[in-house]
Amino acid sequence: MKRTPRTLGMILLGAVVCTAGAGVTPARAFDGELLDTVRVILPDSVITRLEQSLPAMRTIVATVDVWKITYRSDSLRVKGYLAVPNSGGRLPCVIDNRGGNRDYSQWTDARAVSRLGRIAAWGYVVVASQYRGVDGGEGVEEFGGRDINDVLNLISLLATHPRADTTRIGMCGWSRGGMMTYLALARTDRIRAAIIGAGMADLSDMIQRRPEMETEVVAQLVPGFATRRDEALAERSAVRWPERLAPATPILLLHGSADWRVDPGQALTMTARLYALRRPVRLVFFEGGDHGLTEFQAEVDRLTHDWLERYVRDRTPWPSLEPHGR
């Protein structure tokens, strides 16, 4: 990586920071404020390696600028990434929520360029959080607690970017990122469409099947877990409160039938509960697919691209969900 040139830094930060001087009052810090940007430059050896699974890698590198960012969330300095096509006008946006916890499955420069850059190359301003306490960020991660604000505050960050059209925001999330996406959709109706891959929708079911998730992750990260275990699990399990999700946000669920990390039945249950509420949902169930749907990457990309294009970029209305036809 190399330090952001001052001119680009001023473009990105100028909307939210005033320069102190005679008769000028410095801007008050606010959630979503972009504090620092560092340009990501991948070594050619890394690009060559990534090309093996992503043939378009050099095109992405040539047409998309990726920045490692620091932004403010609940008065904390939180780390993340921003990817923007290097030409064109105002664009729709995507917030991409990472999976994992702490430093496991965190965003790296290579992952940010290959994942966020790929979506940005479709014509989007893409932003992602590491969540608080990760990659040198301040605070402590709560696995779906107050760290959900680190996702929601990205909406405010996008609002300061001159290329971002925040009337068109999509959201993606994989695994734990799916849980974060559900939590976000329960807090805002600003998301025009969402895509959840192998998403955690029932944390109680997960720790029953994988007890190590309770001892090694949830109990260590969730504040007060020992004294409010059932409440904490319910708060992070969208199957318990599907009616709270933004009613007009179409959700695309992607899940593999051979996923051992998040039981595929969670996607089936979530679909049934959203269907019972007549909510806009589509489930694509991949036969034999693993947690990352690695065997189906091209199809996942096509489905993701088309969903964002239809419901975010083009703002296509969701069709009637009432029974009709002959």
Side-chain angles (χ1 to χ4, degrees):
M1 296 184 299
K2 66 180 182 181
R3 181 61 55 181
T4 306
R6 180 173 176 79
T7 53
L8 182 54
M10 293 301 292
I11 292 173
L12 293 174
L13 297 171
V16 294
V17 178
C18 296
T19 303
V24 178
T25 302
R28 183 173 61 85
F30 68 93
D31 287 334
E33 179 184 0
L34 187 57
L35 302 172
D36 187 47
T37 60
V38 179
R39 176 77 178 273
V40 174
I41 305 293
L42 294 181
D44 191 71
S45 59
V46 174
I47 297 173
T48 299
R49 174 174 59 82
L50 292 172
E51 275 186 300
Q52 296 175 16
S53 58
L54 184 59
M57 192 66 201
R58 290 190 185 274
T59 299
I60 292 170
V61 170
T63 60
V64 174
D65 294 330
V66 179
W67 310 87
K68 191 168 187 176
I69 64 172
T70 304
Y71 70 102
R72 196 177 301 281
S73 181
D74 294 347
S75 299
L76 301 170
R77 296 173 65 91
V78 176
K79 303 294 183 176
Y81 282 88
L82 174 70
V84 187
N86 54 31
S87 63
R90 296 189 73 208
L91 298 169
C93 309
V94 173
I95 296 171
D96 200 340
N97 299 324
R98 55 159 282 214
N101 63 90
R102 291 164 286 199
D103 62 351
Y104 174 70
S105 200
Q106 69 174 320
W107 293 110
T108 63
D109 289 355
R111 286 192 66 219
V113 174
S114 59
R115 166 68 181 178
L116 308 181
R118 182 163 71 248
I119 297 175
W122 298 340
Y124 296 86
V125 176
V126 187
V127 67
S129 179
Q130 293 279 33
Y131 311 135
R132 59 190 59 189
V134 178
D135 196 24
E138 296 175 344
V140 179
E141 182 184 349
E142 296 185 2
F143 204 71
R146 286 175 294 184
D147 47 5
I148 188 59
N149 292 338
D150 304 340
V151 172
L152 296 170
N153 286 326
L154 292 175
I155 298 175
S156 298
L157 185 153
L158 287 168
T160 69
H161 197 288
R163 300 278 304 283
D165 178 358
T166 53
T167 68
R168 297 182 291 167
I169 303 176
M171 185 173 286
C172 302
W174 209 274
S175 192
R176 178 267 181 91
M179 178 184 72
M180 301 298 278
T181 301
Y182 285 128
L183 288 166
L185 295 181
R187 296 267 300 272
T188 182
D189 61 1
R190 297 282 303 275
I191 307 305
R192 298 198 66 90
I195 299 149
I196 295 175
M200 295 181 187
D202 189 341
L203 203 51
S204 295
D205 175 78
M206 165 163 277
I207 65 176
Q208 182 178 355
R209 296 174 187 274
R210 298 178 57 198
E212 74 279 6
M213 282 295 296
E214 179 171 8
T215 56
E216 301 301 319
V217 178
V218 182
Q220 294 182 19
L221 295 179
V222 175
F225 183 74
T227 58
R228 55 188 307 272
R229 179 181 184 277
D230 292 344
E231 293 172 83
L233 294 176
E235 290 166 358
R236 292 160 173 79
S237 300
V239 295
R240 305 282 290 274
W241 33 264
E243 70 285 347
R244 289 170 45 196
L245 302 180
T249 301
I251 301 174
L252 172 64
L253 299 179
L254 308 172
H255 216 119
S257 66
D259 184 352
W260 64 269
R261 292 186 179 274
V262 178
D263 185 71
Q266 293 195 26
L268 297 171
T269 300
M270 199 66 203
T271 301
R273 296 193 177 175
L274 290 170
Y275 172 73
L277 294 168
R278 288 293 191 268
R279 295 297 177 83
V281 62
R282 178 184 296 179
L283 169 65
V284 181
F285 205 59
F286 293 83
E287 62 283 2
D290 63 9
H291 184 62
L293 292 176
T294 54
E295 306 98 331
F296 298 92
Q297 190 59 62
E299 189 172 355
V300 168
D301 282 353
R302 179 182 60 79
L303 289 166
T304 300
H305 173 275
D306 292 351
W307 197 261
L308 292 173
E309 186 176 84
R310 177 181 293 268
Y311 294 114
V312 177
R313 190 196 70 178
D314 296 343
R315 294 184 267 213
T316 302
W318 187 261
S320 171
L321 299 179
E322 294 303 317
H324 61 280
R326 297 181 61 181

